[in-house]
Amino acid sequence: MRIGEVARLSGCSPETIRHYEKLGLLETPLRSTSGYRRYDVAAVDRLGFIRHGRELGLDLRAIGELLALADHPDADCRAVDRIASRHLERIEARIASLQQLAEELRAMVTQCRGGRVAECRIIEALFRRGTEIQSPE
């Protein structure tokens, strides 16, 4: 298959596919006599793996580690568990942070009931919060 077909099947753009090749996440394919990259079904599967990992929020480093482990199917999967657990911890921390942000925004919204911007509690709270951030020394 040529890169356009692989892009269509995998949902990745040709530029993304070439980027993954440069990063070593996807093997550099053989080229046809006319110089076109020629991919096999395994490349489409691998791109699907990468794409799904990205949808789950995994960074390319973690995806690379998982792909390296997947290339050795008889190896112990504890490393896979560690990568997934580490990512889950980050997601849960992000969720907690977002919940705290939602509470802060909810409090600001309930304090604002129209009127002039000069008297807006949301604007006031944002300015107050901004001054709490310390500038680098």
Side-chain angles (χ1 to χ4, degrees):
M1 289 177 276
R2 288 174 50 177
I3 197 165
E5 177 75 2
V6 172
R8 186 183 64 76
L9 292 171
S10 68
C12 297
S13 71
E15 295 80 21
T16 298
I17 294 169
R18 287 194 278 288
H19 179 67
Y20 291 159
E21 287 174 21
K22 287 178 188 171
L23 294 176
L25 297 175
L26 188 65
E27 285 186 32
T28 302
L30 298 175
R31 292 191 180 256
S32 66
T33 55
S34 55
Y36 291 106
R37 288 174 166 92
R38 302 299 298 175
Y39 297 89
D40 58 14
V41 175
V44 175
D45 291 342
R46 197 163 179 102
L47 286 165
F49 182 102
I50 295 167
R51 191 163 160 256
H52 190 202
R54 296 296 289 154
E55 289 169 353
L56 291 172
L58 290 164
D59 60 32
L60 292 177
R61 181 191 53 77
I63 290 171
E65 291 173 10
L66 291 169
L67 283 168
L69 292 163
D71 289 340
H72 299 92
D74 292 329
D76 188 324
C77 73
R78 281 182 281 190
V80 174
D81 293 338
R82 279 193 298 275
I83 293 167
S85 294
R86 186 174 63 224
H87 185 61
L88 180 59
E89 288 171 7
R90 280 191 227 114
I91 288 172
E92 289 173 339
R94 181 73 176 137
I95 289 170
S97 175
L98 288 170
Q99 288 173 333
Q100 184 178 3
L101 177 62
E103 289 175 25
E104 185 176 348
L105 284 169
R106 196 174 295 112
M108 283 191 261
V109 168
T110 58
Q111 292 177 8
C112 186
R113 291 293 178 234
R116 297 176 341 124
V117 171
E119 299 152 353
C120 179
R121 294 291 199 194
I122 296 172
I123 299 292
E124 179 185 317
L126 288 170
F127 272 114
R128 186 174 56 246
R129 176 73 174 187
T131 59
E132 293 173 6
I133 300 172
Q134 300 202 2
S135 62
E137 294 177 32

